Amino acid sequence: MDAEQADWPLFEVFVRARAGLDHKHVGSLHASDARMALDHARDLYTRREEGVSIWVVRSSEITASDPSEADAFFEPARDKVYRHPTFYDIPPEVKTL
Amino acid sequence: MYTQALDAPGAGLPPTQDEGELERHFQARVDAERKIEAKDWMPARYRATLIRQIAQHAHSEIVGMLPEGNWITRAPTLLRKCILIAKVQDEGGHGAYLYSAAETLGVSRAEMIDQLLAGKAKYSSIFNYPTPTWADVGAIGWLVDGAAIMNQIPLCRCSYGPYARAMVRICREESFHQRQGFEIMLRLAQGTAAQKRMAQDALDRWWWPALMMFGPPDAQSTHSGESQRWKIKRFSNDELRQKFVDFTVPQAQFLGLAVPDPALKWNEAQSRFEFGGIDWNEFEQVLRGNGPCNAERLAARREAHAQGAWVRAAASAYAEKQRVRAASRAA
């Protein structure tokens, strides 16, 4: 019906639930510009005080890793168990380590 | 993420794997309860089934604003008006979450809206029934949202990640809808004789259409087998319908209202209610567009969409002007 009018750009929405927490991805929405995206994000994702801060970013600006190559992409970390503190055997009598 | 516009580098499929191999891999992943995400390989029929289901679900939320929207200006108190506005706003929000989830599968928002306005898309049969009294607002919250919750809670575990996440958000909000509806019914049932009659009349009219919301009986349900194998659907239509009856009948008894089904009776051995046959011809008629309000609902959506055209055009023009100005400042 609106053949002349394509969808507005898609924005991804990130909400900080409380001071001290990270912004977390909550969903997406269409808006004509970033300011409208912020207003809509407030109405769509924080109707019950779910946030104290919102980021919006155009979806087309995000570069994502490829899920079909996830195994190879994350493989370098797989054999490095020595990066975890639990790898090291410490005698129980040694305290505060 | 809720997006089909992600700029993922690299082409999708390694050319050496054939479709059968990919499909086995996909099914193994579904069987292991690992979520499928937007950029993952999926069978074309899985994608098509989800687009159809999520879009119908989104349309239902949007059309679902209309029967209750009728009562915003006539709510009996200011508090009831505020509650109803909040509920209708939630339905609009649910439509928006769901359209976003469908878009991750490669269909555009504009396409889905066009299909709805052109009368080519289905939406839940329930919203084609009228709301002549205030008790209908109570009955919708209690029964229609109650049936929707029964359908939607298993969808929170759907194999498709974006749909499942949208459903988690929706279910969190639906509980308010159902409870405010039951409370309206409770007030009416405890009120004057006329108010109680109004509540009974609404139950009489909404009971059977609410049972139809779970869809055709299992024996006639065309998409069920595949949807269950793909873990889109976790329970059959008849299982969910039975559960709804078992939950809801005691609530009606608490209200002192009579469920309009002479065949309804408790089966102690099976610890469930037996209930009478559903008029599937009525269901078919409403789905085909011949329900009491189908034409009115679509006309209302078309009118709202047309009346908003200048707002959308103005916002686009403003965004373009700002973009050009910013570009010339940068130059």
Side-chain angles (χ1 to χ4, degrees), chain B residues 56-131:
Chain B
Q56 284 176 6
H57 197 162
H59 297 327
S60 301
E61 299 283 355
I62 297 301
V63 177
M65 293 196 280
L66 298 171
E68 293 172 289
N70 275 342
W71 278 94
I72 288 176
T73 55
R74 296 176 288 162
T77 68
L78 182 58
L79 178 61
R80 290 290 179 196
K81 183 189 291 228
C82 292
I83 292 170
L84 193 52
I85 290 172
K87 179 177 191 294
V88 171
Q89 193 186 13
D90 275 354
E91 313 291 3
H94 297 176
Y97 308 148
L98 289 163
Y99 282 130
S100 286
E103 285 177 274
T104 64
L105 293 159
V107 61
S108 78
R109 179 92 47 127
E111 255 174 276
M112 290 185 278
I113 306 262
D114 283 353
Q115 282 173 358
L116 174 65
L117 297 180
K120 289 181 197 153
K122 280 187 187 157
Y123 55 86
S124 180
S125 57
I126 196 80
F127 301 117
N128 293 311
Y129 290 87
T131 45

Coordinates of all heavy atoms in Angstrom, one line a residue, chain B residues 56-131:
Chain B
Q56 N 1.6 -13.8 11.4 CA 0.2 -13.9 11.8 C 0.1 -13.5 13.3 O -0.9 -12.9 13.7 CB -0.3 -15.4 11.7 CG -0.6 -15.8 10.3 CD -1.0 -17.2 10.1 OE1 -1.1 -17.9 11.1 NE2 -1.1 -17.7 8.9
H57 N 1.1 -13.9 14.1 CA 1.1 -13.6 15.5 C 1.1 -12.0 15.7 O 0.4 -11.4 16.5 CB 2.2 -14.3 16.2 CG 2.2 -14.4 17.6 ND1 2.9 -15.3 18.4 CD2 1.5 -13.6 18.5 CE1 2.7 -15.1 19.6 NE2 1.8 -14.1 19.8
A58 N 2.0 -11.4 14.9 CA 2.2 -9.9 15.0 C 0.9 -9.3 14.6 O 0.4 -8.3 15.2 CB 3.4 -9.5 14.1
H59 N 0.3 -9.7 13.5 CA -0.9 -9.1 13.0 C -2.0 -9.2 14.1 O -2.8 -8.3 14.3 CB -1.4 -9.8 11.7 CG -0.5 -9.7 10.5 ND1 0.3 -8.6 10.3 CD2 -0.3 -10.6 9.5 CE1 1.0 -8.8 9.2 NE2 0.7 -10.0 8.7
S60 N -2.0 -10.4 14.8 CA -3.1 -10.6 15.8 C -2.9 -9.6 16.9 O -3.9 -9.1 17.4 CB -2.9 -12.0 16.4 OG -3.1 -13.0 15.4
E61 N -1.7 -9.3 17.3 CA -1.5 -8.2 18.3 C -2.0 -6.9 17.8 O -2.6 -6.1 18.6 CB 0.0 -8.1 18.7 CG 0.7 -9.4 19.2 CD 0.3 -9.7 20.7 OE1 -0.4 -8.9 21.3 OE2 0.7 -10.8 21.2
I62 N -1.7 -6.6 16.6 CA -2.0 -5.2 16.1 C -3.6 -5.1 15.9 O -4.2 -4.2 16.4 CB -1.3 -5.0 14.7 CG1 0.2 -5.0 14.9 CG2 -1.8 -3.7 14.1 CD1 0.7 -3.9 15.9
V63 N -4.2 -6.1 15.3 CA -5.7 -6.1 15.2 C -6.3 -6.2 16.6 O -7.4 -5.6 16.8 CB -6.2 -7.2 14.2 CG1 -7.7 -7.2 14.2 CG2 -5.6 -7.0 12.8
G64 N -5.6 -6.9 17.5 CA -6.1 -7.1 18.8 C -6.3 -5.8 19.6 O -7.0 -5.8 20.6
M65 N -5.6 -4.8 19.1 CA -5.8 -3.5 19.8 C -7.2 -2.9 19.6 O -7.7 -2.1 20.4 CB -4.8 -2.5 19.3 CG -3.3 -2.8 19.7 SD -2.2 -1.4 19.4 CE -2.0 -1.5 17.7
L66 N -7.9 -3.3 18.5 CA -9.1 -2.7 18.1 C -10.3 -3.0 19.0 O -11.0 -2.0 19.4 CB -9.4 -3.0 16.6 CG -8.3 -2.5 15.7 CD1 -8.6 -3.1 14.3 CD2 -8.3 -1.0 15.6
P67 N -10.6 -4.2 19.3 CA -11.8 -4.5 20.1 C -11.8 -3.8 21.5 O -12.8 -3.3 21.9 CB -11.8 -6.0 20.3 CG -10.8 -6.6 19.3 CD -9.9 -5.5 18.9
E68 N -10.6 -3.7 22.1 CA -10.5 -3.1 23.4 C -10.3 -1.5 23.2 O -10.8 -0.8 24.1 CB -9.3 -3.6 24.2 CG -9.6 -5.1 24.6 CD -8.3 -5.6 25.2 OE1 -7.3 -5.9 24.4 OE2 -8.3 -5.9 26.4
G69 N -9.7 -1.1 22.2 CA -9.5 0.3 21.9 C -10.9 1.0 21.9 O -11.0 2.2 22.3
N70 N -11.9 0.2 21.4 CA -13.3 0.7 21.4 C -13.7 1.3 22.7 O -14.6 2.2 22.8 CB -14.2 -0.4 21.2 CG -14.4 -0.7 19.7 OD1 -14.1 0.1 18.9 ND2 -14.9 -1.9 19.4
W71 N -13.1 0.8 23.8 CA -13.6 1.1 25.2 C -12.8 2.1 25.9 O -13.1 2.5 27.0 CB -13.8 -0.2 26.0 CG -15.1 -0.9 25.7 CD1 -15.3 -1.8 24.7 CD2 -16.4 -0.5 26.2 NE1 -16.6 -2.1 24.7 CE2 -17.3 -1.3 25.5 CE3 -16.8 0.4 27.1 CZ2 -18.7 -1.3 25.8 CZ3 -18.2 0.5 27.4 CH2 -19.1 -0.3 26.7
I72 N -11.7 2.6 25.3 CA -10.8 3.5 26.0 C -11.6 4.8 26.4 O -11.5 5.3 27.5 CB -9.6 3.9 25.2 CG1 -8.6 2.6 25.1 CG2 -8.8 5.1 25.7 CD1 -7.4 2.8 24.3
T73 N -12.4 5.3 25.5 CA -13.1 6.6 25.8 C -14.3 6.3 26.7 O -14.9 7.3 27.2 CB -13.6 7.2 24.5 OG1 -14.4 6.3 23.8 CG2 -12.5 7.7 23.6
R74 N -14.7 5.1 26.9 CA -15.9 4.8 27.7 C -15.6 4.0 28.9 O -16.5 3.5 29.6 CB -16.9 4.0 26.8 CG -17.4 4.8 25.6 CD -18.3 4.0 24.7 NE -17.5 3.0 24.0 CZ -18.1 2.0 23.4 NH1 -19.4 1.8 23.5 NH2 -17.4 1.1 22.7
A75 N -14.3 3.8 29.3 CA -14.0 3.1 30.5 C -14.7 3.7 31.7 O -14.8 5.0 31.7 CB -12.5 3.0 30.7
P76 N -15.2 2.9 32.7 CA -16.0 3.5 33.7 C -15.3 4.4 34.7 O -16.0 5.2 35.3 CB -16.5 2.2 34.4 CG -15.6 1.1 34.1 CD -15.1 1.5 32.7
T77 N -14.0 4.3 34.9 CA -13.3 5.2 35.7 C -12.0 5.7 35.1 O -11.5 5.0 34.1 CB -12.9 4.6 37.1 OG1 -11.9 3.6 36.9 CG2 -14.1 4.0 37.8
L78 N -11.4 6.7 35.6 CA -10.1 7.2 35.1 C -9.0 6.1 35.2 O -8.2 5.9 34.3 CB -9.7 8.4 35.8 CG -8.4 9.1 35.3 CD1 -8.5 9.4 33.8 CD2 -8.0 10.3 36.1
L79 N -9.0 5.4 36.4 CA -8.0 4.3 36.6 C -8.2 3.2 35.5 O -7.2 2.7 34.9 CB -8.1 3.7 38.0 CG -7.2 2.5 38.2 CD1 -5.7 3.0 38.1 CD2 -7.4 2.0 39.6
R80 N -9.5 2.8 35.3 CA -9.7 1.8 34.3 C -9.3 2.2 32.9 O -8.8 1.4 32.1 CB -11.2 1.4 34.2 CG -11.7 0.6 35.4 CD -11.2 -0.8 35.5 NE -11.6 -1.5 36.7 CZ -11.1 -2.6 37.1 NH1 -10.0 -3.1 36.5 NH2 -11.6 -3.2 38.2
K81 N -9.5 3.5 32.6 CA -9.0 4.1 31.3 C -7.5 4.0 31.2 O -7.0 3.6 30.2 CB -9.5 5.5 31.2 CG -9.1 6.1 29.8 CD -9.4 7.6 29.8 CE -10.9 7.9 29.8 NZ -11.3 8.9 28.7
C82 N -6.8 4.4 32.3 CA -5.3 4.3 32.3 C -4.9 2.9 32.0 O -3.9 2.6 31.3 CB -4.7 4.8 33.6 SG -5.0 6.6 33.8
I83 N -5.5 1.9 32.8 CA -5.1 0.5 32.6 C -5.3 0.0 31.2 O -4.5 -0.6 30.6 CB -5.9 -0.3 33.6 CG1 -5.5 0.0 35.1 CG2 -5.7 -1.8 33.3 CD1 -6.5 -0.6 36.1
L84 N -6.5 0.4 30.6 CA -6.8 -0.1 29.3 C -5.8 0.5 28.3 O -5.4 -0.2 27.3 CB -8.3 0.3 29.0 CG -8.9 -0.4 27.7 CD1 -8.7 -1.9 27.8 CD2 -10.3 0.0 27.6
I85 N -5.5 1.8 28.4 CA -4.5 2.4 27.5 C -3.2 1.7 27.6 O -2.6 1.3 26.6 CB -4.3 3.9 27.8 CG1 -5.6 4.7 27.4 CG2 -3.1 4.5 27.1 CD1 -5.5 6.2 27.9
A86 N -2.8 1.4 28.8 CA -1.5 0.7 29.0 C -1.5 -0.7 28.4 O -0.6 -1.2 27.8 CB -1.2 0.5 30.5
K87 N -2.7 -1.4 28.5 CA -2.8 -2.7 27.9 C -2.8 -2.7 26.4 O -2.0 -3.4 25.8 CB -4.1 -3.4 28.4 CG -4.3 -4.8 27.8 CD -5.6 -5.4 28.4 CE -5.7 -6.9 28.0 NZ -5.9 -7.1 26.6
V88 N -3.5 -1.7 25.8 CA -3.6 -1.6 24.4 C -2.2 -1.2 23.9 O -1.7 -1.7 22.8 CB -4.7 -0.6 23.9 CG1 -4.6 -0.3 22.5 CG2 -6.0 -1.2 24.3
Q89 N -1.5 -0.4 24.6 CA -0.1 0.0 24.2 C 0.8 -1.2 24.2 O 1.6 -1.4 23.4 CB 0.4 1.1 25.1 CG 1.7 1.8 24.6 CD 2.3 2.7 25.6 OE1 1.9 2.7 26.8 NE2 3.2 3.5 25.2
D90 N 0.6 -2.1 25.2 CA 1.4 -3.3 25.3 C 1.2 -4.2 24.0 O 2.1 -4.7 23.5 CB 1.0 -4.2 26.5 CG 1.7 -3.8 27.8 OD1 2.6 -2.9 27.7 OD2 1.4 -4.4 28.8
E91 N -0.1 -4.2 23.6 CA -0.4 -5.1 22.4 C 0.3 -4.5 21.2 O 0.9 -5.3 20.4 CB -1.9 -5.1 22.1 CG -2.9 -5.3 23.2 CD -2.8 -6.8 23.8 OE1 -2.0 -7.6 23.3 OE2 -3.6 -7.1 24.7
G92 N 0.4 -3.2 21.1 CA 1.1 -2.6 20.0 C 2.6 -2.9 20.1 O 3.2 -3.3 19.1
G93 N 3.1 -2.9 21.3 CA 4.5 -3.3 21.5 C 4.8 -4.7 21.2 O 5.8 -5.0 20.5
H94 N 3.8 -5.6 21.5 CA 4.0 -7.0 21.2 C 4.1 -7.2 19.7 O 4.9 -8.0 19.2 CB 2.9 -7.9 21.8 CG 2.8 -7.8 23.3 ND1 1.9 -8.4 24.0 CD2 3.7 -7.2 24.2 CE1 2.1 -8.2 25.3 NE2 3.2 -7.5 25.4
G95 N 3.2 -6.5 19.0 CA 3.2 -6.5 17.5 C 4.6 -6.1 17.0 O 5.2 -6.8 16.1
A96 N 5.1 -5.0 17.6 CA 6.5 -4.5 17.1 C 7.6 -5.5 17.4 O 8.4 -5.8 16.6 CB 6.8 -3.2 17.8
Y97 N 7.6 -6.2 18.6 CA 8.6 -7.2 18.9 C 8.5 -8.3 17.9 O 9.5 -8.8 17.4 CB 8.4 -7.9 20.3 CG 8.3 -7.0 21.5 CD1 7.5 -7.5 22.6 CD2 8.9 -5.8 21.6 CE1 7.4 -6.7 23.7 CE2 8.8 -5.0 22.8 CZ 8.0 -5.5 23.8 OH 7.9 -4.8 24.9
L98 N 7.3 -8.7 17.6 CA 7.1 -9.9 16.7 C 7.4 -9.6 15.2 O 8.1 -10.4 14.5 CB 5.7 -10.4 16.8 CG 5.4 -11.1 18.1 CD1 3.9 -11.2 18.4 CD2 6.0 -12.5 18.2
Y99 N 7.1 -8.4 14.8 CA 7.5 -8.0 13.4 C 9.0 -8.0 13.3 O 9.6 -8.5 12.3 CB 6.9 -6.6 13.0 CG 5.5 -6.6 12.6 CD1 4.6 -5.6 13.2 CD2 5.0 -7.4 11.7 CE1 3.2 -5.6 12.9 CE2 3.6 -7.4 11.3 CZ 2.8 -6.5 11.9 OH 1.4 -6.4 11.6
S100 N 9.7 -7.5 14.4 CA 11.1 -7.5 14.4 C 11.7 -8.9 14.3 O 12.6 -9.2 13.5 CB 11.7 -6.9 15.6 OG 11.6 -5.5 15.6
A101 N 11.1 -9.8 15.0 CA 11.5 -11.2 15.0 C 11.3 -11.8 13.6 O 12.2 -12.5 13.1 CB 10.8 -12.1 16.0
A102 N 10.2 -11.5 12.9 CA 9.9 -12.1 11.6 C 10.9 -11.5 10.6 O 11.4 -12.2 9.7 CB 8.5 -11.7 11.2
E103 N 11.3 -10.2 10.8 CA 12.2 -9.6 9.8 C 13.6 -10.2 9.8 O 14.3 -10.2 8.8 CB 12.4 -8.1 10.2 CG 11.2 -7.2 9.8 CD 11.4 -5.8 10.3 OE1 11.0 -5.5 11.4 OE2 11.9 -5.0 9.5
T104 N 14.0 -10.8 10.9 CA 15.3 -11.5 11.0 C 15.3 -12.7 10.0 O 16.4 -13.1 9.6 CB 15.6 -12.1 12.4 OG1 14.6 -13.1 12.7 CG2 15.6 -11.0 13.5
L105 N 14.1 -13.1 9.5 CA 14.1 -14.2 8.6 C 14.1 -13.8 7.1 O 13.9 -14.6 6.2 CB 12.8 -15.1 8.9 CG 12.9 -15.8 10.3 CD1 11.5 -16.1 10.8 CD2 13.8 -17.0 10.2
G106 N 14.1 -12.5 6.9 CA 14.3 -12.0 5.6 C 13.0 -11.4 4.9 O 13.0 -11.2 3.7
V107 N 12.0 -11.2 5.7 CA 10.8 -10.5 5.2 C 10.8 -9.1 5.7 O 11.2 -8.9 6.8 CB 9.5 -11.3 5.6 CG1 9.3 -11.3 7.1 CG2 8.2 -10.7 5.0
S108 N 10.3 -8.1 4.9 CA 10.4 -6.7 5.4 C 9.1 -6.4 6.1 O 8.0 -7.0 5.9 CB 10.6 -5.8 4.2 OG 9.4 -5.6 3.5
R109 N 9.2 -5.4 7.0 CA 8.0 -4.9 7.7 C 7.0 -4.4 6.8 O 5.8 -4.7 6.9 CB 8.5 -3.8 8.7 CG 7.4 -3.1 9.5 CD 7.3 -3.7 10.8 NE 8.5 -3.9 11.5 CZ 8.8 -3.5 12.7 NH1 7.9 -2.8 13.4 NH2 10.0 -3.7 13.3
A110 N 7.4 -3.6 5.8 CA 6.4 -3.1 4.8 C 5.6 -4.2 4.1 O 4.4 -4.1 3.9 CB 7.2 -2.2 3.8
E111 N 6.3 -5.3 3.7 CA 5.6 -6.4 3.1 C 4.6 -7.0 4.0 O 3.4 -7.3 3.5 CB 6.7 -7.5 2.9 CG 7.2 -7.7 1.5 CD 8.2 -8.8 1.5 OE1 9.4 -8.5 1.7 OE2 7.9 -10.0 1.2
M112 N 4.9 -7.2 5.2 CA 3.9 -7.8 6.2 C 2.7 -6.9 6.4 O 1.6 -7.3 6.4 CB 4.6 -8.1 7.5 CG 5.6 -9.2 7.4 SD 6.3 -9.7 9.0 CE 7.6 -8.5 9.2
I113 N 3.0 -5.6 6.6 CA 1.9 -4.6 6.8 C 1.0 -4.6 5.5 O -0.2 -4.6 5.6 CB 2.4 -3.2 7.1 CG1 3.4 -3.3 8.3 CG2 1.3 -2.2 7.3 CD1 2.9 -3.0 9.6
D114 N 1.6 -4.6 4.3 CA 0.9 -4.6 3.1 C 0.0 -5.8 3.0 O -1.2 -5.7 2.6 CB 1.8 -4.5 1.9 CG 2.4 -3.1 1.7 OD1 1.9 -2.2 2.4 OD2 3.2 -3.0 0.8
Q115 N 0.5 -7.0 3.4 CA -0.3 -8.2 3.3 C -1.5 -8.1 4.3 O -2.6 -8.5 3.9 CB 0.6 -9.4 3.7 CG 1.5 -9.9 2.5 CD 2.4 -11.0 3.0 OE1 2.4 -11.4 4.1 NE2 3.2 -11.4 2.0
L116 N -1.3 -7.6 5.4 CA -2.4 -7.4 6.4 C -3.5 -6.5 5.8 O -4.6 -6.8 5.8 CB -1.9 -6.9 7.7 CG -3.0 -6.6 8.8 CD1 -3.7 -7.8 9.2 CD2 -2.4 -5.8 10.0
L117 N -3.0 -5.3 5.3 CA -4.0 -4.3 4.9 C -4.7 -4.8 3.6 O -5.8 -4.4 3.3 CB -3.3 -3.0 4.6 CG -2.6 -2.4 5.9 CD1 -2.0 -1.0 5.5 CD2 -3.7 -2.1 7.0
A118 N -4.0 -5.6 2.8 CA -4.6 -6.1 1.6 C -5.6 -7.3 1.9 O -6.2 -7.8 1.0 CB -3.6 -6.6 0.6
G119 N -5.7 -7.7 3.2 CA -6.6 -8.8 3.5 C -6.0 -10.2 3.1 O -6.8 -11.2 3.1
K120 N -4.7 -10.2 2.8 CA -4.1 -11.5 2.4 C -3.6 -12.3 3.6 O -3.2 -13.5 3.5 CB -3.0 -11.3 1.4 CG -3.5 -10.8 0.0 CD -2.3 -10.6 -0.9 CE -2.7 -9.7 -2.1 NZ -1.5 -9.0 -2.6
A121 N -3.3 -11.6 4.7 CA -2.7 -12.3 5.9 C -3.8 -12.7 6.9 O -4.8 -12.0 7.0 CB -1.7 -11.3 6.5
K122 N -3.5 -13.8 7.5 CA -4.4 -14.2 8.6 C -4.0 -13.6 9.9 O -2.9 -13.3 10.1 CB -4.4 -15.8 8.7 CG -5.2 -16.5 7.7 CD -5.2 -18.0 8.0 CE -5.9 -18.8 6.9 NZ -5.4 -20.2 6.9
Y123 N -5.0 -13.5 10.8 CA -4.7 -13.1 12.2 C -5.7 -13.9 13.1 O -6.7 -14.5 12.5 CB -4.8 -11.6 12.4 CG -6.1 -11.0 12.0 CD1 -7.2 -11.0 12.9 CD2 -6.3 -10.4 10.8 CE1 -8.4 -10.4 12.5 CE2 -7.5 -9.9 10.4 CZ -8.5 -9.9 11.3 OH -9.7 -9.3 10.9
S124 N -5.5 -13.9 14.4 CA -6.3 -14.7 15.2 C -7.8 -14.4 15.0 O -8.3 -13.3 15.0 CB -5.9 -14.5 16.7 OG -6.7 -15.3 17.5
S125 N -8.6 -15.5 14.9 CA -10.0 -15.4 14.7 C -10.8 -14.6 15.8 O -11.8 -14.0 15.5 CB -10.6 -16.8 14.6 OG -10.4 -17.5 15.8
I126 N -10.2 -14.6 17.0 CA -10.9 -14.1 18.1 C -11.2 -12.6 18.0 O -12.2 -12.1 18.5 CB -10.1 -14.3 19.4 CG1 -10.9 -14.1 20.7 CG2 -8.9 -13.5 19.5 CD1 -11.8 -15.3 21.0
F127 N -10.4 -11.9 17.2 CA -10.5 -10.4 17.2 C -11.6 -10.0 16.2 O -11.8 -8.8 16.0 CB -9.1 -9.7 16.9 CG -8.1 -10.1 18.0 CD1 -7.0 -10.8 17.7 CD2 -8.4 -9.8 19.3 CE1 -6.1 -11.2 18.7 CE2 -7.5 -10.1 20.3 CZ -6.4 -10.9 20.0
N128 N -12.3 -10.9 15.6 CA -13.4 -10.6 14.7 C -14.7 -10.6 15.4 O -15.8 -10.6 14.8 CB -13.3 -11.5 13.5 CG -12.1 -11.2 12.6 OD1 -11.8 -10.0 12.4 ND2 -11.4 -12.2 12.3
Y129 N -14.7 -10.7 16.8 CA -15.9 -10.7 17.5 C -16.1 -9.3 18.2 O -15.1 -8.7 18.5 CB -15.9 -11.8 18.6 CG -16.0 -13.2 18.0 CD1 -14.9 -13.8 17.7 CD2 -17.3 -13.8 17.9 CE1 -15.0 -15.1 17.1 CE2 -17.3 -15.0 17.3 CZ -16.2 -15.7 16.9 OH -16.3 -16.9 16.4
P130 N -17.3 -8.8 18.3 CA -17.6 -7.5 18.8 C -17.5 -7.3 20.3 O -17.5 -8.3 21.0 CB -19.0 -7.2 18.3 CG -19.7 -8.5 18.3 CD -18.6 -9.5 17.9
T131 N -17.3 -6.1 20.8 CA -17.2 -5.8 22.2 C -18.3 -4.8 22.6 O -18.0 -3.7 22.9 CB -15.9 -5.2 22.6 OG1 -15.5 -4.2 21.6 CG2 -14.8 -6.3 22.6

